[in-house]
Amino acid sequence: MVHALDAADVLATKREAFDLPEGVIYLDGNSLGVLPAHVPSRMAEVIKDQWGTSLVRGWNDHDWIDLPQRVGARIGRLIGAAPGSVVAGDSTSINVFKVLSAALTMRSDRKVILSDNGNFPTDLYVASGLAKLLDAGHELRIVDPDKVEANLGDDIAVMMITEVDYKTGRRHDMKALTAKAHQHGVIAIWDLAHSAGAVPVDLDGAKADFAVGCGYKYLNGGPGAPAFLYVAERHHGALNPALTGWMGHEAPFAFDLDYRPATGIDRMRVGTPPILSLSALDAALDVFDDVDMDTVHRKSVSLCDLFIKEVESRCPELELVTPRDPSVRGSHVSFRFEEGYALMQALIAEGVIGDFRAPDIARFGFTPLYLSHADVVRAAEILEGILRNKTWMQDEFKKKQKVT
Amino acid sequence: MVHALDAADVLATKREAFDLPEGVIYLDGNSLGVLPAHVPSRMAEVIKDQWGTSLVRGWNDHDWIDLPQRVGARIGRLIGAAPGSVVAGDSTSINVFKVLSAALTMRSDRKVILSDNGNFPTDLYVASGLAKLLDAGHELRIVDPDKVEANLGDDIAVMMITEVDYKTGRRHDMKALTAKAHQHGVIAIWDLAHSAGAVPVDLDGAKADFAVGCGYKYLNGGPGAPAFLYVAERHHGALNPALTGWMGHEAPFAFDLDYRPATGIDRMRVGTPPILSLSALDAALDVFDDVDMDTVHRKSVSLCDLFIKEVESRCPELELVTPRDPSVRGSHVSFRFEEGYALMQALIAEGVIGDFRAPDIARFGFTPLYLSHADVVRAAEILEGILRNKTWMQDEFKKKQKVT
């Protein structure tokens, strides 16, 4: 049955586009994507032929100066964003600050930022830091994910949520929540960290106002790859950036003393873009050129469904926390297990790489571009073996590392 | 005489540490540093062996998580900053926002940010954007560089200036200005973009409060390399970051909903660090391991003095705008020429790469680690030839490019 699924997999050959290490079943592409096989040679070219040979002329000769917009447009295709509405650069955290400060300026008559406790903490930290900085009575209201809709009201300035919960994998209904937000005059900000490159996203279709997302998860841009941000075209004219750097200036090379915002999404740029990291992300996006997100998502559902079924039948001591319904989840599956940390370390030692999210979540990401159904079954078998033989109880697996 | 200078140059062999293109005299290391020769192989290792093989385990196995602090400490040695007071990451513009917002919070009873019109525009843009965002009556007061001292008074919250003027090369007296600022209770922020790696800087000795700087100029970290920021140790306890991302959290992997600032400089971190770009900067810093900044500076003075003498004797139509006195200048030399843009394009066409700064400045940077006195004389000869033969008047050299 598993062989049949793999035989019918139209994305099966995509695995060759990645440089997967031997002996590893990698179920953590939602934390750090796998190295695409062509990225090392592309980066050697960028480093030697672009930086080394062109030197400062590279800004013109290789059009480094517009790389953030070019990469942004490529990501835009994957998330339903019109060309010119996405720009790559900075970190997700910085981009949250950029879009949230812009949104609060647009809706300055209201003071409540609505989010949920399934949001990734950095988004909440950035929001609370911004509220403190503004010192204008803003409140960050954090509710349960299923209470977001009920909390949308005429007092809310901005709804800022992550579509796919980093821990549970639960996926919000972007279109419905955005529509409801708009009924109340609320600006909708979506964090696509666990969505972009994994599930179909239609920002323009959902009429989202702003979005941010991550370059190093399903987009495979490398560790700490630049993030991206989206601003709906209808807001470009009134957009008031708080981080006003020279790359967002109308004429950066006029070196005027006064800031004049550039038009369009360019206005959201700040400093000089990190060309090496951006080039790696740019190259990594090549693997998406000939795939559409619906195909990717169909395979994601198939892999996740199979993993849930295999684990539940083999390991009843693990409690599924991810929704069973594929229409309300992302591309990772999480199980609760009190000794989840040690369990994950034991799994990693046997070559099944997932990760742990405090306090007790073992998390497994399924990247349709490089995983097979056979990988899924093998991972479940190894998991079962660890549980049956209680190898996770060994002391070595309980030693905490800096990054979990 | 030139041969004697090069023969006596203790840094002459450092040139071999760089991969300089054939036929180029590179006088733009103050815009984008040259590729150090070992960086391509180091980056191949980071990409293939770290990202490719370790995957997400790299955060622990290669200690990526602390790379910003490690790189910061290496930069700290070059700028007189104690270990633990510098962190690398983000862009200079973002770092200006971070330190300026922290400084304004510390001195919230005052509303004036003092800067000068020789500051790099992005610093001014960031300051005006922050003032607008705060909406608390802050004023950005921009004066002539030689009027900064006289404008320091009890109404000034923060003095935010760039030590070496990106256009003219004029260098402020960091120690004296900081002391004067402190007499008036003014917080001193220094931008070291054109200082770090070029002139001796002693942040701790000068009792500077905050500093920022650039990784891609004299530090040779690659196009758009991560920047750095410094906070004097005495301020660490009271430091109030405005950009509160998870990497500045006391326990990022506890995934708490509430922000609790980390101790020390870690608090100024925000998002996930761009490991590829940071690794290139880290590798590039190796070339500084066995040199001290006084030696570097002595050669810088010698190269700049020689260039001024050669150009002034050969090209009287160029007007020197950089101070003749080495104690008040950085490591670049600028000349005013009405057709400076076309002149620079003609120079670049003949392999002498400097740059142009609007409206009429031809700018030449002298990086002591890879330039010889013979390069300096040859560059002046080529410049003279272009002026004598009026080749800069050709139309092709007047075509404006995006990046000047």
Side-chain angles (χ1 to χ4, degrees), chain B residues 6-79:
Chain B
D6 283 335
D9 175 11
V10 295
L11 293 173
T13 56
K14 270 286 166 190
R15 186 188 188 102
E16 292 155 26
F18 292 89
D19 193 7
L20 279 161
E22 285 289 315
V24 160
I25 299 175
Y26 192 64
L27 307 183
D28 212 4
N30 53 321
S31 182
L32 174 61
V34 168
L35 174 66
H38 68 294
V39 165
S41 60
R42 187 80 70 83
M43 287 304 289
E45 194 187 304
V46 169
I47 293 169
K48 287 190 194 179
D49 302 340
Q50 295 192 12
W51 172 15
T53 305
S54 293
L55 289 164
V56 73
R57 296 167 295 189
W59 292 106
N60 288 305
D61 294 356
H62 304 290
D63 208 14
W64 291 339
I65 198 72
D66 289 333
L67 190 54
Q69 289 96 323
R70 289 204 306 283
V71 172
R74 298 185 76 183
I75 295 170
R77 191 185 70 80
L78 306 176
I79 55 175

Side-chain angles (χ1 to χ4, degrees), chain A residues 19-21 24 26 28 31-36 39-41 43-44 47-48 51-57 59-61 63-66 90-94 97-98 101 105 116-122 124-130 132-134 140 142 166-167 216 220-226 240-247 249 251-260 270-278 280 284 348 351 353-359 401-404, chain B residues 19-21 24 26 28 31-36 39-41 43-44 47-48 51-57 59-61 63-66 90-94 97-98 101 105 116-122 124-130 132-134 140 142 166-167 216 220-226 240-247 249 251-260 270-278 280 284 348 351 353-359 401-404:
Chain A
D19 194 7
L20 278 161
V24 161
Y26 194 64
D28 212 4
S31 182
L32 174 61
V34 167
L35 173 67
V39 165
S41 60
M43 287 305 288
I47 293 169
K48 286 191 194 176
W51 171 15
T53 305
S54 293
L55 289 164
V56 73
R57 296 167 295 190
W59 292 106
N60 288 304
D61 293 356
D63 209 13
W64 291 338
I65 197 73
D66 290 332
D90 294 313
S91 64
T92 307
S93 301
I94 299 284
F97 187 92
K98 288 196 241 179
S101 54
T105 305
D116 69 52
N117 54 34
N119 204 344
F120 189 70
T122 204
L124 304 176
Y125 302 160
V126 168
S128 67
L130 176 58
K132 193 173 160 191
L133 180 73
L134 293 176
L140 172 61
I142 303 172
Y166 76 105
K167 237 186 230 185
Y216 56 79
N220 312 306
N240 230 324
L243 296 178
T244 48
W246 72 312
M247 286 293 145
H249 194 279
F253 295 93
F255 301 105
D256 294 331
L257 296 183
D258 292 324
Y259 178 74
R260 279 178 289 123
V270 186
T272 308
I275 297 304
L276 302 189
S277 284
L278 256 182
I348 291 170
I353 302 180
D355 62 24
F356 170 76
R357 287 296 169 256
Q401 293 186 290
K402 280 186 196 169
V403 178
T404 60
Chain B
D19 193 7
L20 279 161
V24 160
Y26 192 64
D28 212 4
S31 182
L32 174 61
V34 168
L35 174 66
V39 165
S41 60
M43 287 304 289
I47 293 169
K48 287 190 194 179
W51 172 15
T53 305
S54 293
L55 289 164
V56 73
R57 296 167 295 189
W59 292 106
N60 288 305
D61 294 356
D63 208 14
W64 291 339
I65 198 72
D66 289 333
D90 295 312
S91 63
T92 307
S93 301
I94 298 283
F97 187 92
K98 288 195 242 180
S101 54
T105 305
D116 70 52
N117 54 34
N119 204 343
F120 189 70
T122 204
L124 304 175
Y125 303 160
V126 168
S128 66
L130 175 59
K132 194 173 159 191
L133 180 73
L134 293 176
L140 172 60
I142 302 172
Y166 76 105
K167 234 186 231 186
Y216 55 81
N220 311 304
N240 231 323
L243 296 177
T244 48
W246 71 313
M247 286 293 146
H249 194 280
F253 295 93
F255 301 105
D256 294 331
L257 296 183
D258 292 323
Y259 177 75
R260 278 177 291 124
V270 187
T272 309
I275 297 304
L276 302 189
S277 283
L278 255 184
I348 292 169
I353 303 180
D355 62 23
F356 170 77
R357 286 296 169 255
Q401 293 187 288
K402 280 187 195 170
V403 178
T404 61

Side-chain angles (χ1 to χ4, degrees), chain B residues 187-198:
Chain B
I187 296 169
I189 298 178
W190 289 95
D191 183 335
L192 305 176
H194 288 270
S195 309

Side-chain angles (χ1 to χ4, degrees), chain B residues 73-387:
Chain B
R74 298 185 76 183
I75 295 170
R77 191 185 70 80
L78 306 176
I79 55 175
S85 55
V86 177
V87 66
D90 295 312
S91 63
T92 307
S93 301
I94 298 283
N95 285 330
V96 167
F97 187 92
K98 288 195 242 180
V99 300
L100 182 58
S101 54
L104 291 178
T105 305
M106 284 168 58
R107 195 74 252 212
S108 58
D109 55 327
R110 300 184 183 181
K111 300 295 174 192
V112 182
I113 304 158
L114 178 66
S115 192
D116 70 52
N117 54 34
N119 204 343
F120 189 70
T122 204
D123 296 34
L124 304 175
Y125 303 160
V126 168
S128 66
L130 175 59
K132 194 173 159 191
L133 180 73
L134 293 176
D135 193 22
H138 286 93
E139 174 202 342
L140 172 60
R141 190 174 295 166
I142 302 172
V143 301
D144 288 338
D146 59 2
K147 299 287 191 314
V148 170
E149 190 177 342
N151 273 273
L152 285 167
D154 295 349
D155 58 329
I156 309 293
V158 175
M159 172 186 77
M160 178 192 77
I161 46 183
T162 295
E163 190 190 22
V164 174
D165 188 310
Y166 76 105
K167 234 186 231 186
T168 66
R170 175 209 30 76
R171 176 154 56 110
H172 277 301
D173 184 335
M174 181 186 289
K175 192 161 188 174
L177 270 180
T178 301
K180 186 74 192 293
H182 288 173
Q183 280 172 24
H184 291 281
V186 176
I187 296 169
I189 298 178
W190 289 95
D191 183 335
L192 305 176
H194 288 270
S195 309
V199 297
V201 178
D202 185 9
L203 287 171
D204 286 338
K207 298 196 187 307
D209 297 289
F210 296 91
V212 299
C214 177
Y216 55 81
K217 299 179 184 292
Y218 294 104
L219 300 183
N220 311 304
F228 63 87
L229 70 79
Y230 160 89
V231 182
E233 218 174 341
R234 64 185 178 281
H235 294 314
H236 287 191
L239 203 54
N240 231 323
L243 296 177
T244 48
W246 71 313
M247 286 293 146
H249 194 280
E250 191 181 32
F253 295 93
F255 301 105
D256 294 331
L257 296 183
D258 292 323
Y259 177 75
R260 278 177 291 124
T263 52
I265 198 74
D266 299 10
R267 186 176 298 189
M268 298 303 272
R269 289 182 58 176
V270 187
T272 309
I275 297 304
L276 302 189
S277 283
L278 255 184
S279 296
L281 174 57
D282 187 36
L285 288 167
D286 289 1
V287 299
F288 282 97
D289 277 348
D290 57 355
V291 297
D292 72 276
M293 289 308 303
D294 287 323
T295 307
V296 170
H297 187 230
R298 268 195 300 278
K299 184 168 169 192
S300 157
V301 170
S302 179
L303 295 170
C304 291
D305 278 349
L306 180 62
F307 189 68
I308 292 172
K309 182 173 145 264
E310 289 286 329
V311 173
E312 290 198 317
S313 67
R314 294 165 187 270
C315 317
E317 54 271 71
L318 297 188
E319 179 198 349
L320 180 71
V321 294
T322 301
R324 273 174 218 287
D325 176 0
S327 73
V328 292
R329 73 169 185 241
S331 199
H332 66 272
V333 173
S334 298
F335 288 92
R336 185 167 288 129
F337 183 64
E338 203 184 335
E339 294 289 346
Y341 180 81
L343 175 66
M344 189 53 74
Q345 295 307 312
L347 268 167
I348 292 169
E350 295 207 27
V352 177
I353 303 180
D355 62 23
F356 170 77
R357 286 296 169 255
D360 56 5
I361 300 283
R363 189 175 73 157
F364 304 90
F366 294 91
T367 304
L369 297 183
Y370 48 76
L371 289 173
S372 68
H373 296 83
D375 289 328
V376 168
V377 174
R378 183 72 194 125
E381 282 171 0
I382 293 170
L383 175 59
E384 183 185 15
I386 288 169
L387 285 166

